[in-house]
Amino acid sequence: MRRYVSKIIACPLPFTKSNFFLVNCEVESYCASRESNSQGLVRSYLNGSLAKTYATSCATLSEDPSKDSPVSDMLIDSFGRLHTYLRISLTERCNLRCHYCMPAEGVELTPSPQLLSPNEIVRLANLFVSSGVEKIRLTGGEPTIRKDIEDICLQLSNLKGLKTLAITTNGITLAKKLPKLRECGLTSVNISLDTLVPAKFEFITRRKGHERVMDSINAAVDLGYNPVKVNCVVMRGFNEDEICDFVELTREKPINVRFIEFMPFDGNVWNVKKLVPYSEMLDTVAKQFTGLRRLKDHPTDTAKNFRIDGFCGSVSFITSMTEHFCAGCNRLRLLADGNFKVCLFGPAEVSLRDPLRLGADDDALREVIGAAVKRKKASHAGMFDIARTVNRPMIHIGG
């Protein structure tokens, strides 16, 4: 029996199943009514040591999920949110040691045999895209340190139905690799930069390289990326005095500066005193620049977007802590070790690598994915609860 896909709109109302619009897109259930050998194998896996955390049931089953529509029910959670955006972490390794991302003592890296191979990454990505995912973002660690990143980009960009292939990078090695990555189908670039002062850059990253990041930003502009997104985590006592300097980057160039509220993760010594809230950041910009106007945001945008009259670029604020955007969330995460995560701040994960290596077919993997998506909560916890929750360091999750 078919049903219509429900799509959430961002709104301040309490989050219920009725707070959405219906869009004209029919889908069928992702689960097959007959159980294949691989599905039984996956059910056994789910009923094993991880049963308490990841137990799933699929009471109503039907035929092929993608028979009549490119959108699969596996991407729709119990609140009607349709997830069309997949973030794939290519590695846990990084060539910087940013304070808010990695503990000072470093992190224990997953052994290489336990990480997804390029073929496994592409197979899982194809499964998501064939089910309705339209955007993939490559993250890390630092994704550009992978020697096979060009080949991975080329294979991903050729997936039928994928509209956007993006990357989030620290920019250290991007400038020399970007021309080839563009040829391989990379369509969007986010570059992380938290300060315009070289000495402060070395302090926050525990490494040199500020000039190389600036070169990468300029290289992306020169290659025609529009906008080039620059992610800036704002921390009180470190860089809140540079907010207006970052805004100046948007005056003459198609740069979208994205100011991000400081978020808690394992080992980053988060403290609410370091948090500069969106309201304060916006007030800082509004006092310095006249003609600041709000742009119309897409319902699934993570950012509140603004433009200053006469400026080439734009300014955005990502307000995860003070004004969350969970109602419009359309994002899922595939970690470098093959774990699947439906919420950045939620500790729950389920392995796709294990059933994949046990021989699961696509239908069985869809069942694991769909069950995890259905367990996604209406919203993440408050910032103080997040700070107390055991989660992975950002370097493991992927930026």
Side-chain angles (χ1 to χ4, degrees):
M1 180 177 181
R2 296 181 185 175
R3 62 185 180 81
Y4 286 96
V5 176
S6 303
K7 190 170 185 180
I8 293 294
I9 60 166
C11 62
L13 299 175
F15 197 17
T16 68
K17 293 184 180 180
S18 60
N19 291 335
F20 53 75
F21 288 131
L22 294 177
V23 296
N24 187 24
C25 182
E26 290 184 281
V27 298
E28 296 184 20
S29 173
Y30 69 90
C31 295
S33 57
R34 57 189 182 276
E35 183 181 71
S36 66
N37 290 335
S38 59
Q39 285 173 311
L41 194 151
V42 170
R43 284 199 177 95
S44 296
Y45 163 73
L46 287 171
N47 289 329
S49 60
L50 296 180
K52 289 185 179 178
T53 307
Y54 304 121
T56 177
S57 63
C58 192
T60 305
L61 307 175
S62 65
E63 290 300 317
D64 184 6
S66 303
K67 193 172 183 180
D68 298 318
S69 170
V71 179
S72 169
D73 187 63
M74 83 172 196
L75 298 178
I76 305 168
D77 67 17
S78 61
F79 301 95
R81 291 172 295 196
L82 174 61
H83 297 77
T84 58
Y85 180 2
L86 177 67
R87 302 174 70 99
I88 301 177
S89 176
L90 295 182
T91 178
E92 297 174 351
R93 298 182 180 275
C94 189
N95 44 12
L96 297 180
R97 296 292 183 271
C98 297
H99 283 255
Y100 55 79
C101 186
M102 184 183 291
E105 66 275 14
V107 296
E108 183 176 351
L109 298 174
T110 303
S112 294
Q114 296 177 27
L115 300 176
L116 292 177
S117 69
N119 287 340
E120 289 171 330
I121 291 171
V122 174
R123 181 185 167 188
L124 289 172
N126 182 57
L127 178 62
F128 279 96
V129 173
S130 65
S131 299
V133 162
E134 298 177 340
K135 178 178 180 179
I136 289 177
R137 178 174 299 281
L138 303 177
T139 69
E142 172 49 39
T144 62
I145 67 175
R146 277 195 68 136
K147 295 179 180 179
D148 55 0
I149 188 172
E150 290 91 353
D151 182 57
I152 291 174
C153 279
L154 183 61
Q155 293 188 66
L156 293 177
S157 67
N158 285 323
L159 294 179
K160 184 179 179 180
L162 187 69
K163 296 180 180 178
T164 302
L165 180 61
I167 192 170
T168 294
T169 168
N170 61 32
I172 293 293
T173 65
L174 183 67
K176 63 181 181 180
K177 294 188 176 185
L178 192 53
K180 181 64 175 178
L181 289 172
R182 189 171 184 271
E183 291 178 8
C184 292
L186 188 71
T187 59
S188 180
V189 175
N190 285 48
I191 300 173
S192 299
L193 179 65
D194 302 315
T195 178
L196 299 174
V197 180
K200 289 168 71 174
F201 177 90
E202 188 172 343
F203 169 78
I204 192 68
T205 66
R206 305 183 180 105
R207 297 290 188 275
K208 296 182 183 295
H210 182 268
E211 184 178 355
R212 296 166 71 182
V213 180
M214 296 303 298
D215 289 343
S216 291
I217 293 172
N218 291 325
V221 171
D222 292 342
L223 284 170
Y225 285 97
N226 185 1
V228 175
K229 295 181 179 181
V230 175
N231 295 342
C232 176
V233 178
V234 181
M235 293 162 282
R236 194 176 304 283
F238 173 69
N239 63 350
E240 81 275 23
D241 60 331
E242 296 186 63
I243 289 175
C244 292
D245 295 331
F246 270 96
V247 174
E248 283 291 344
L249 295 178
T250 73
R251 185 183 291 272
E252 305 291 342
K253 296 181 179 181
I255 291 174
N256 170 225
V257 173
R258 299 157 65 85
F259 296 112
I260 303 172
E261 291 180 337
F262 184 37
M263 298 176 283
F265 292 97
D266 274 16
N268 73 351
V269 197
W270 184 86
N271 188 311
V272 69
K273 293 180 180 179
K274 298 179 183 178
L275 173 67
V276 182
Y278 157 59
S279 57
E280 182 179 332
M281 291 189 283
L282 179 61
D283 188 56
T284 298
V285 175
K287 286 180 178 178
Q288 181 69 27
F289 299 95
T290 58
L292 180 70
R293 56 187 174 87
R294 180 74 182 266
L295 302 178
K296 185 177 181 179
D297 305 325
H298 188 275
T300 62
D301 277 351
T302 61
K304 294 174 173 63
N305 302 296
F306 294 78
R307 188 180 299 278
I308 299 171
D309 290 341
F311 280 42
C312 180
S314 57
V315 177
S316 302
F317 302 88
I318 298 178
T319 63
S320 304
M321 296 295 95
T322 61
E323 294 185 23
H324 71 70
F325 32 82
C326 301
C329 183
N330 69 337
R331 292 165 298 285
L332 304 169
R333 293 172 180 266
L334 179 62
L335 280 54
D337 63 1
N339 274 16
F340 179 56
K341 197 174 180 72
V342 297
C343 177
L344 173 63
F345 299 110
E349 300 176 3
V350 62
S351 178
L352 300 184
R353 178 201 64 202
D354 292 351
L356 181 66
R357 293 182 180 180
L358 285 170
D361 65 11
D362 286 354
D363 285 340
L365 290 170
R366 283 191 182 98
E367 182 175 345
V368 177
I369 294 166
V373 171
K374 293 295 184 291
R375 292 193 297 271
K376 185 169 181 175
K377 296 181 179 180
S379 65
H380 63 67
M383 57 185 171
F384 295 106
D385 289 329
I386 292 173
R388 290 191 293 267
T389 301
V390 177
N391 199 355
R392 295 218 231 180
M394 189 55 136
I395 191 76
H396 278 169
I397 298 173

